[in-house]
Amino acid sequence: MLSFAFALAAAAMQPIAAAPCAASETGIEKICGIPIPEDLVQVPGTRWVIATSMPRDGTAGGLFLVNTRTREVEPLTWAQGRGDFASNANETTGVAGCAAPNPARLIAHGIDIAPGVGGLHRLYLVAHGGRESIELFDIDANGAVPSLHWAGCVPMPEGLEANSVAALPDGGLLFTSLYDEGPADWPRRMSALDAARPAGAVYEWHAAKGIAKLPLPRISGPNGVAVSADGKVVYVAAWGERSVRRFDRAGNETAAPIALTFLVDNLRWAPDGTLLAAGQETTVARLFSCSSRKAQPAYCSTPWAAAGIDPHEFTSIRQWRGEGNAFGDTTSAIMVDGRLWLGSLGSDCIAVLDPDAGQAR
């Protein structure tokens, strides 16, 4: 039985029909109505995609649910507590004493889902706004619409901002930070990343051990992170370096970096085992200048880009690119029913395209 609080929230939540979108590039469908859909993930075994929202003006964005068949969009709210969820063996509830986040202040950033059993899964969310944290949620995908219950959190230490998160098979998690720990000196941070100098780190968290920095070689702006199914291999998007790198859990780099033409943002697994990378074909300095503006000037419309990576041979096997006429600043790529879905830092829409059409290069 769902909690009373969730029943009230679900009753008030009405789908939003796919909003009319401005003309786009040939072959690109757009799903609008989500303020800056920064990251995307599909709920396992369902027709639903969850998108995070990071509005440019710093207001709360939260989570959105997209019906991949009808393209309808609706806000995704949550209830506090696990309700009648059956606990999966590898689940944890985060740090003791952590209170539920304030939805009115939450800014949703990176996201990941650890598949469970019986349609019950664990969602990990990088959150800003009211606090810097990784929020943990339970997903019940057995109903007509997935329901979400808040289950706990992992607060960030003072001076640390998370970016992307990846579930570990033992119930722990990895997360990245673009920046070194400490006070936010934005000019210095941007200068380091724009020059591809080392900055940021990858961290591991377990309930029994807390947060620890992975002993990786220094990277310029660790952004997206993905983990192999057995938890032994870690893939990191080196944003400032425009590359993807591969490590074992001991911190050893196990292949030469894959150089790409764009600032590599989020990493996602495709159903066929390909690792998908998405990012922005611009400079760090220009991207941050543009992303801070609610109304972006014409020069801020940058090409979008994505790549498919063979994780075993560790080579780029295909790339996609568009001119950014009405969609750009790509942040995330997922494959849904054979179609490529793209999130964005500069558009209030998700782009959907045929991966075998003319956008490939």
Side-chain angles (χ1 to χ4, degrees), residues 71-96:
R71 305 303 202 241
E72 289 180 328
V73 175
E74 58 190 73
L76 180 56
T77 60
W78 61 84
Q80 185 172 353
R82 301 175 63 86
D84 291 338
F85 281 43
S87 177
N88 290 319
N90 69 342
E91 290 183 354
T92 60
T93 56
V95 174

Side-chain angles (χ1 to χ4, degrees), residues 126 161-165 174-178 201-203 222-225 236:
V126 174
E161 300 171 24
N163 187 300
S164 296
V165 62
L174 299 179
F175 67 88
T176 63
S177 178
L178 282 174
V202 181
Y203 299 83
N223 196 320
V225 60
V236 180

Side-chain angles (χ1 to χ4, degrees), residues 145-163:
V145 176
S147 60
L148 203 63
H149 286 244
W150 181 79
C153 85
V154 179
M156 294 294 100
E158 186 70 26
L160 182 60
E161 300 171 24
N163 187 300

Side-chain angles (χ1 to χ4, degrees), residues 214-216 231-235 246-255:
L214 283 188
L216 306 182
K232 295 180 179 180
V233 184
V234 180
Y235 302 86
R246 188 178 74 182
F247 307 92
D248 62 26
R249 290 286 292 281
N252 302 302
E253 192 153 18
T254 58

Side-chain angles (χ1 to χ4, degrees), residues 37-41 49-51 111 268 332 334 341-343 350:
E38 202 278 341
D39 204 1
L40 309 171
V41 67
V49 163
I50 297 176
I111 193 171
R268 280 277 168 263
S332 185
I334 61 174
W341 286 48
L342 304 174
I350 295 168

Side-chain angles (χ1 to χ4, degrees), residues 23-83:
S24 186
E25 298 166 53
T26 301
I28 294 182
E29 172 193 357
K30 294 202 297 184
I31 302 172
C32 298
I34 304 172
I36 309 300
E38 202 278 341
D39 204 1
L40 309 171
V41 67
Q42 186 169 15
V43 180
T46 77
R47 64 179 183 274
W48 303 99
V49 163
I50 297 176
T52 63
S53 174
M54 287 187 66
R56 284 187 293 275
D57 60 5
T59 57
L63 298 170
F64 286 81
L65 196 62
V66 184
N67 186 322
T68 62
R69 296 177 186 171
T70 67
R71 305 303 202 241
E72 289 180 328
V73 175
E74 58 190 73
L76 180 56
T77 60
W78 61 84
Q80 185 172 353
R82 301 175 63 86

Side-chain angles (χ1 to χ4, degrees), residues 5-361:
F6 181 80
L8 289 177
M13 189 169 59
Q14 297 297 323
I16 302 169
C21 300
S24 186
E25 298 166 53
T26 301
I28 294 182
E29 172 193 357
K30 294 202 297 184
I31 302 172
C32 298
I34 304 172
I36 309 300
E38 202 278 341
D39 204 1
L40 309 171
V41 67
Q42 186 169 15
V43 180
T46 77
R47 64 179 183 274
W48 303 99
V49 163
I50 297 176
T52 63
S53 174
M54 287 187 66
R56 284 187 293 275
D57 60 5
T59 57
L63 298 170
F64 286 81
L65 196 62
V66 184
N67 186 322
T68 62
R69 296 177 186 171
T70 67
R71 305 303 202 241
E72 289 180 328
V73 175
E74 58 190 73
L76 180 56
T77 60
W78 61 84
Q80 185 172 353
R82 301 175 63 86
D84 291 338
F85 281 43
S87 177
N88 290 319
N90 69 342
E91 290 183 354
T92 60
T93 56
V95 174
C98 183
N102 182 352
R105 300 185 64 187
L106 185 141
I107 300 171
H109 196 170
I111 193 171
D112 194 27
I113 291 181
V117 296
L120 307 176
H121 315 293
R122 169 56 58 88
L123 182 147
Y124 301 81
L125 174 68
V126 174
H128 313 293
R131 64 184 177 211
E132 295 293 328
S133 60
I134 309 291
E135 302 293 336
L136 313 179
F137 297 88
D138 290 320
I139 303 175
D140 185 345
N142 291 298
V145 176
S147 60
L148 203 63
H149 286 244
W150 181 79
C153 85
V154 179
M156 294 294 100
E158 186 70 26
L160 182 60
E161 300 171 24
N163 187 300
S164 296
V165 62
L168 292 170
D170 60 5
L173 58 87
L174 299 179
F175 67 88
T176 63
S177 178
L178 282 174
Y179 320 114
D180 292 327
E181 298 178 49
D185 183 338
W186 287 104
R188 181 173 295 180
R189 285 178 170 181
M190 294 308 99
S191 176
L193 293 170
D194 202 41
R197 293 196 299 270
V202 181
Y203 299 83
E204 183 169 345
W205 174 85
H206 290 273
K209 300 178 181 178
I211 294 172
K213 188 181 295 186
L214 283 188
L216 306 182
R218 290 282 277 161
I219 297 170
S220 182
N223 196 320
V225 60
V227 183
S228 61
D230 61 7
K232 295 180 179 180
V233 184
V234 180
Y235 302 86
V236 180
W239 193 67
E241 300 170 19
R242 301 172 185 263
S243 69
V244 179
R245 299 175 66 171
R246 188 178 74 182
F247 307 92
D248 62 26
R249 290 286 292 281
N252 302 302
E253 192 153 18
T254 58
I258 297 176
L260 295 169
T261 62
F262 52 89
L263 301 167
V264 188
D265 205 308
N266 289 308
L267 301 176
R268 280 277 168 263
W269 292 110
D272 67 357
T274 299
L275 185 64
L276 298 175
Q280 309 90 36
E281 286 208 343
T282 184
T283 66
V284 171
R286 175 166 286 188
L287 178 67
F288 272 89
S289 171
C290 291
S291 65
S292 65
R293 304 169 187 238
K294 290 180 67 175
Q296 296 192 32
Y299 73 81
C300 287
S301 183
T302 60
W304 58 265
I309 293 169
D310 181 327
H312 306 294
E313 298 296 327
F314 206 55
T315 57
S316 175
I317 53 179
R318 65 185 310 185
Q319 295 190 41
W320 300 272
R321 182 185 182 277
E323 292 304 319
N325 302 346
F327 179 87
D329 293 339
T330 329
T331 50
S332 185
I334 61 174
M335 200 69 74
V336 180
D337 297 329
R339 304 271 287 174
L340 190 64
W341 286 48
L342 304 174
S344 173
L345 187 66
S347 305
D348 289 337
C349 65
I350 295 168
V352 180
L353 63 141
D354 181 350
D356 297 320
Q359 303 291 346
R361 65 177 182 184

